[in-house]
Amino acid sequence: MTTTTDARADEGYTGAVARVYDLVHQGKGKDYAGEAADLADLVTGRVPGARSLLDVACGTGLHLAHLAGRFERVEGLELSPDMLAAARRRNPSTTVHHGDMRDFSLETTYSAVTCMFSSIGHMADQGELDAALAAFAAHTEPGGVVVVEPWWFPDTFTPGYVGAAVVEAEGKTISRVSHSRLEDGATRIDVHYLVAEPGRDIEHLSESHRITLFPRSAYELAFERASLATEFLPGGPSGRGLFIGVRA
């Protein structure tokens, strides 16, 4: 017997999906420790003596767990209540704020503000992208850096892409299948999970997200409007590159 749980489009990673999120991505080979080390090196290479970092859209806090030992003060910000709860459980000694990247105000600044795993792609349009970068810049010390991992650009996105993985972790076997299509200048990605474990019914989870296909110029414009001198580094942890902005 199979039970089904649906996450409505664009509500974020909630409920049961949030619980299997880490298991799937770690099982697929996402190296959170290595990515955190590379990110810390990138920050300190541009800001020698960097002491603090805010990770925006920190998810369940796996990057935070590895960044905590690299800076005197590391904090997170997350919109999804379920992801936020997981991040706080994983990082009991780390402050993780509840907030929206478009309009948060923490009344402090950091040596670096980061936004990884293409979370910025959930901004709906240029106005929201500008608002997010303005918020990042407002929380960055003079001379500090903003690091953003973008979603695919329109010319690098592959419409119709299908991804699939099967992982085994914590006594569960989880299959994940995703399908990405072009939808009015954005990626519509539908994801389905089957979660099986001994003695329980197979659980079917699904979610759908709209992720905007901003061109590179849109990101650069948002950085410019936020008074951040920017450069683009190809590659990055997911092959989508990294934008680095320095606050004058």
Side-chain angles (χ1 to χ4, degrees):
M1 183 175 179
T2 302
T3 59
T4 300
T5 303
D6 294 314
R8 290 196 301 172
D10 307 319
E11 285 193 344
Y13 300 92
T14 60
V17 170
R19 292 194 295 274
V20 301
Y21 181 90
D22 288 338
L23 300 181
V24 169
H25 286 289
Q26 286 181 294
K28 289 170 61 181
K30 187 169 179 63
D31 182 5
Y32 286 93
E35 290 180 13
D38 290 344
L39 182 59
D41 289 343
L42 181 65
V43 168
T44 56
R46 283 162 173 75
V47 189
R51 297 185 302 167
S52 57
L53 181 146
L54 174 69
D55 188 25
V56 176
C58 66
T60 62
L62 267 168
H63 281 132
L64 284 180
H66 299 291
L67 288 166
R70 298 292 299 265
F71 301 93
E72 292 180 18
R73 178 168 60 106
V74 171
E75 298 180 4
L77 181 91
E78 176 56 44
L79 178 61
S80 162
D82 292 314
M83 291 287 205
L84 177 70
R88 286 174 171 170
R89 287 194 300 270
R90 175 171 280 119
N91 302 278
S93 301
T94 299
T95 298
V96 185
H97 307 272
H98 182 247
D100 188 317
M101 72 171 73
R102 295 166 291 190
D103 61 5
F104 67 99
S105 179
L106 305 181
E107 299 183 353
T108 187
T109 57
Y110 305 83
S111 304
V113 174
T114 63
C115 185
M116 303 299 289
F117 215 2
S118 302
S119 300
I120 195 74
H122 289 280
M123 300 299 94
D125 52 31
Q126 185 73 52
E128 290 194 357
L129 185 62
D130 291 350
L133 266 296
F136 297 172
H139 290 80
T140 305
E141 299 169 355
V145 295
V146 173
V147 182
V148 173
E149 182 180 8
W151 182 237
W152 298 111
F153 303 142
D155 59 338
T156 58
F157 171 63
T158 303
Y161 178 78
V162 173
V166 177
V167 302
E168 295 185 2
E170 296 184 359
K172 299 178 178 65
T173 298
I174 306 166
S175 66
R176 177 188 185 273
V177 176
S178 66
H179 176 253
S180 301
R181 64 185 188 276
L182 188 63
E183 180 184 275
D184 298 326
T187 299
R188 172 61 66 185
I189 180 168
D190 298 312
V191 186
H192 293 264
Y193 305 85
L194 288 178
V195 183
E197 55 185 310
R200 301 189 64 175
D201 292 339
I202 296 174
E203 185 176 16
H204 172 222
L205 312 173
S206 64
E207 57 180 338
S208 180
H209 297 281
R210 184 182 188 278
I211 310 177
T212 306
L213 288 164
F214 291 110
R216 175 173 166 175
S217 60
Y219 290 101
E220 291 170 339
L221 179 60
F223 273 82
E224 179 184 344
R225 287 173 171 170
S227 298
L228 295 165
T230 184
E231 64 177 305
F232 177 71
L233 301 180
S238 303
R240 297 186 280 267
L242 291 172
F243 286 99
I244 316 296
V246 178
R247 184 181 175 193

